[in-house]
Amino acid sequence: MLGRVEKYLLEKIAAEKTIHMTLIDPEKITPAQASIVAENSKDSGTTAIMIGGSTFSSQEHLDAVIQAIKKAVDLPTILFPNNVSGISRYSDAIWFMSLLNSVDPYFLVGAQILGAPLIKKFNIEPIPMGYIIVGQGGTAGVVGKAIAIPYDKPELATAHALAGQYFGMRFIYLEGGSGVANPVPPEMIRTVKKYLDATLIVGGGIRTREQAAAAAQAGADIIVTGNLIEVADNKQRIAEVIEGIKQKSK
Ligand code: 1GP
């Protein structure tokens, strides 16, 4: 049976075609700032809040950030962990993810084995997701020891995505890397989407209405933005990205 958060996401995608999620990196923000970002993002029309980063934030701080978000908005929270330390009892759900193009078994299945008992204990909803790093890959690529798939090799991204699907992962994430200059190209999204029978998430370097519209039109079901919350006019900028998604939605 599907969990509550996954069901909510699928219903939103069915109704709106493509949805937006805001990624909050706990390392870069105080709990008070996180509540403001969550409120602003909700006002702009985001569907859920993801929490995670590529480097380290203390467990205590992560817990405080999530508690602040939960207090501020009634949107679901989904952990986006880079390691076992990215698990918090206060989140509704967690991307139970494997970095499919990592050369290190720790990021394929090792961290997941260490984290699984905690997820059970805390009763967090696990949502199975295959994570694929493409293009420059940013910090996530380095930390996760991934062999990033070049943007001009959409067929390789498709092979990874299909492998994830056949393993039973219901979500596939094409990650260009946080803050990268060039987001995942529409051609790669289109090719993966054509063959994939899973929900497709795209993120990394999406900053404008046009980029979001192009990703939505190419077939992204979920578009994630993280860095955008750091700019002064973040509320406006996130609203523009969501407008782009709506205008050009598939
Ligand atoms: C990173 O895909 C996300 O994991 C979001 O990237 O921070 O560039 O929006 P940005």
Side-chain angles (χ1 to χ4, degrees):
M1 211 183 77
L2 294 190
R4 195 174 58 84
V5 175
E6 185 169 351
K7 242 165 111 183
Y8 163 86
L9 296 178
L10 295 180
E11 280 166 16
K12 287 281 179 187
I13 292 166
E16 299 172 23
K17 307 284 183 223
T18 304
I19 59 172
H20 174 265
M21 286 192 198
T22 297
L23 171 64
I24 293 180
D25 184 344
E27 199 193 348
K28 296 182 179 166
I29 210 162
T30 65
Q33 289 166 334
S35 22
I36 297 169
V37 165
E39 277 167 9
N40 286 349
S41 304
K42 188 184 174 190
D43 290 350
S44 307
T46 206
T47 301
I49 309 282
M50 284 169 46
I51 301 122
S54 288
T55 48
F56 187 72
S57 106
S58 81
Q59 193 79 54
E60 213 182 354
H61 181 65
L62 175 67
D63 285 348
V65 165
I66 296 177
Q67 283 176 291
I69 295 168
K70 295 298 308 170
K71 214 166 149 195
V73 294
D74 56 1
L75 293 175
T77 56
I78 309 174
L79 295 166
F80 184 45
N82 72 324
N83 210 330
V84 185
S85 55
I87 301 174
S88 165
R89 66 173 76 232
Y90 298 103
S91 184
D92 301 305
I94 182 167
W95 290 122
F96 196 79
M97 54 200 275
S98 173
L99 175 45
L100 295 176
N101 54 335
S102 177
V103 296
D104 186 341
Y106 182 76
F107 294 104
L108 286 162
V109 73
Q112 296 80 345
I113 291 169
L114 295 175
L118 276 180
I119 294 171
K120 184 76 181 168
K121 184 174 168 200
F122 296 157
N123 198 22
I124 308 168
E125 178 185 332
I127 309 179
M129 182 258 271
Y131 192 48
I132 305 167
I133 295 188
V134 297
Q136 288 186 320
T139 310
V142 177
V143 173
K145 298 181 195 157
I147 300 179
I149 300 170
Y151 277 161
D152 63 354
K153 301 284 179 205
E155 69 284 1
L156 277 179
T158 305
H160 283 71
L162 279 177
Q165 178 194 320
Y166 298 157
F167 269 130
M169 294 156 177
R170 298 190 287 272
F171 292 75
I172 295 292
Y173 194 138
L174 288 182
E175 172 68 86
S178 185
V180 292
N182 302 306
V184 185
E187 189 45 40
M188 181 176 262
I189 301 172
R190 202 170 289 118
T191 307
V192 171
K193 180 69 180 180
K194 189 171 158 197
Y195 296 99
L196 186 70
D197 187 14
T199 302
L200 184 59
I201 311 169
V202 176
I206 295 173
R207 295 175 186 80
T208 67
R209 185 196 309 253
E210 291 71 26
Q211 289 167 334
Q217 204 166 34
D221 298 302
I222 300 175
I223 290 177
V224 179
T225 65
N227 272 345
L228 259 196
I229 60 175
E230 287 164 40
V231 298
D233 56 344
N234 62 68
K235 193 171 175 177
Q236 173 63 25
R237 296 284 298 280
I238 293 173
E240 280 173 19
V241 160
I242 293 174
E243 268 169 36
I245 292 172
K246 292 207 164 122
Q247 273 168 20
K248 295 265 178 69
S249 230
K250 302 162 279 176

